[in-house]
Short mmCIF file of all heavy atoms in Angstrom, two decimals:
data_model
loop_
_atom_site.label_atom_id
_atom_site.label_comp_id
_atom_site.label_asym_id
_atom_site.label_seq_id
_atom_site.Cartn_x
_atom_site.Cartn_y
_atom_site.Cartn_z
N ASN A 277 8.14 -13.45 22.29
CA ASN A 277 8.43 -13.57 23.70
C ASN A 277 9.37 -14.74 23.99
O ASN A 277 9.58 -15.59 23.13
CB ASN A 277 7.12 -13.76 24.46
CG ASN A 277 6.33 -12.48 24.50
OD1 ASN A 277 6.52 -11.65 25.37
ND2 ASN A 277 5.46 -12.29 23.53
N PHE A 278 9.86 -14.75 25.19
CA PHE A 278 10.71 -15.87 25.58
C PHE A 278 9.86 -17.14 25.52
O PHE A 278 10.29 -18.19 25.06
CB PHE A 278 11.28 -15.63 26.98
CG PHE A 278 12.28 -16.68 27.35
CD1 PHE A 278 13.38 -16.94 26.52
CD2 PHE A 278 12.13 -17.43 28.52
CE1 PHE A 278 14.30 -17.93 26.85
CE2 PHE A 278 13.05 -18.42 28.84
CZ PHE A 278 14.13 -18.67 28.01
N LYS A 279 8.62 -17.03 25.95
CA LYS A 279 7.65 -18.10 25.73
C LYS A 279 7.04 -17.87 24.36
O LYS A 279 6.39 -16.85 24.14
CB LYS A 279 6.51 -17.96 26.74
CG LYS A 279 6.66 -18.70 28.04
CD LYS A 279 5.34 -18.64 28.79
CE LYS A 279 5.53 -18.55 30.30
NZ LYS A 279 6.19 -19.69 30.91
N THR A 280 7.22 -18.79 23.42
CA THR A 280 6.54 -18.61 22.13
C THR A 280 5.08 -18.98 22.33
O THR A 280 4.75 -19.88 23.10
CB THR A 280 7.15 -19.47 21.02
OG1 THR A 280 6.98 -20.85 21.35
CG2 THR A 280 8.63 -19.20 20.86
N ILE A 281 4.22 -18.26 21.63
CA ILE A 281 2.79 -18.47 21.81
C ILE A 281 2.29 -19.52 20.82
O ILE A 281 2.57 -19.42 19.62
CB ILE A 281 2.03 -17.14 21.60
CG1 ILE A 281 2.65 -16.02 22.46
CG2 ILE A 281 0.54 -17.31 21.89
CD1 ILE A 281 1.99 -14.66 22.30
N ALA A 282 1.59 -20.52 21.32
CA ALA A 282 0.98 -21.52 20.43
C ALA A 282 -0.04 -20.79 19.56
O ALA A 282 -0.60 -19.78 19.98
CB ALA A 282 0.30 -22.60 21.25
N ALA A 283 -0.25 -21.26 18.34
CA ALA A 283 -1.14 -20.50 17.46
C ALA A 283 -1.84 -21.34 16.41
O ALA A 283 -1.34 -22.38 15.98
CB ALA A 283 -0.35 -19.40 16.76
N ILE A 284 -3.01 -20.86 16.03
CA ILE A 284 -3.67 -21.33 14.82
C ILE A 284 -3.16 -20.40 13.73
O ILE A 284 -3.39 -19.19 13.78
CB ILE A 284 -5.21 -21.20 14.92
CG1 ILE A 284 -5.75 -21.97 16.11
CG2 ILE A 284 -5.84 -21.65 13.62
CD1 ILE A 284 -5.49 -23.47 16.06
N GLN A 285 -2.44 -21.00 12.81
CA GLN A 285 -1.74 -20.19 11.83
C GLN A 285 -2.53 -20.09 10.53
O GLN A 285 -2.89 -21.11 9.94
CB GLN A 285 -0.39 -20.86 11.55
CG GLN A 285 0.69 -19.92 11.14
CD GLN A 285 2.08 -20.53 11.37
OE1 GLN A 285 2.24 -21.74 11.54
NE2 GLN A 285 3.09 -19.68 11.34
N GLN A 286 -2.80 -18.89 10.08
CA GLN A 286 -3.47 -18.72 8.80
C GLN A 286 -2.40 -18.72 7.71
O GLN A 286 -1.33 -18.15 7.89
CB GLN A 286 -4.23 -17.40 8.75
CG GLN A 286 -5.33 -17.29 9.78
CD GLN A 286 -6.32 -16.18 9.43
OE1 GLN A 286 -6.82 -16.13 8.32
NE2 GLN A 286 -6.58 -15.30 10.37
N ASP A 287 -2.71 -19.33 6.60
CA ASP A 287 -1.75 -19.41 5.51
C ASP A 287 -1.91 -18.19 4.60
O ASP A 287 -2.54 -18.26 3.55
CB ASP A 287 -2.00 -20.71 4.73
CG ASP A 287 -0.91 -20.99 3.72
OD1 ASP A 287 -0.16 -20.05 3.38
OD2 ASP A 287 -0.81 -22.14 3.27
N VAL A 288 -1.33 -17.07 5.05
CA VAL A 288 -1.54 -15.81 4.32
C VAL A 288 -1.02 -15.88 2.88
O VAL A 288 -1.60 -15.29 1.98
CB VAL A 288 -0.91 -14.60 5.04
CG1 VAL A 288 -1.78 -14.15 6.20
CG2 VAL A 288 0.48 -14.88 5.51
N ALA A 289 0.05 -16.61 2.67
CA ALA A 289 0.59 -16.73 1.31
C ALA A 289 -0.43 -17.38 0.39
O ALA A 289 -0.66 -16.92 -0.73
CB ALA A 289 1.88 -17.53 1.33
#
Side-chain angles (χ1 to χ4, degrees):
Chain A
N277 287 274
F278 187 55
K279 269 189 215 297
T280 63
I281 309 178
I284 302 298
Q285 208 160 17
Q286 298 197 51
D287 189 342
V288 282

